[in-house]
Amino acid sequence: MKIKSNIKLEYKDSKHAEIIYKTLEVDNEGFVKNSLDENIINFEIESDKLGSFLATADDLIASEILAETIIKNTK
């Protein structure tokens, strides 16, 4: 069984999106395909196992929340 998902995150501006994109890009390498289009980041997750898929999605979301928190607290 193949499990696939696309997650689209839209930010207030392209600079904010680029910071998040670059922050998450290193951690996602080999697990998540991502692309940046102005203020939108698209993530594609694909896995053969539900457990791996859910772990990857959870890690992605947790990392994004952490990056957002850091940005918010450093302004």
Side-chain angles (χ1 to χ4, degrees):
M1 170 173 61
K2 268 291 189 215
I3 304 161
K4 297 180 183 182
S5 175
N6 293 322
I7 298 173
K8 178 174 134 179
L9 301 176
E10 187 172 346
Y11 296 90
K12 62 182 176 180
D13 57 48
S14 59
K15 182 174 176 131
H16 193 125
E18 183 178 5
I19 291 168
I20 298 294
Y21 177 83
K22 287 181 178 179
T23 301
L24 299 179
E25 186 176 32
V26 175
D27 194 39
N28 291 336
E29 194 171 320
F31 299 100
V32 178
K33 294 178 184 175
N34 48 9
S35 62
L36 177 62
D37 183 20
E38 294 188 23
N39 67 324
I40 297 171
I41 305 174
N42 290 295
F43 298 98
E44 296 177 31
I45 303 171
E46 186 175 317
S47 181
D48 293 329
K49 298 178 182 177
L50 181 57
S52 296
F53 173 83
L54 292 173
T56 300
D58 184 57
D59 287 348
L60 173 64
I61 293 166
S63 296
E64 197 283 334
I65 291 169
L66 179 60
E68 282 286 324
T69 302
I70 291 169
I71 290 170
K72 180 180 175 183
N73 291 326
T74 56
K75 286 191 174 183

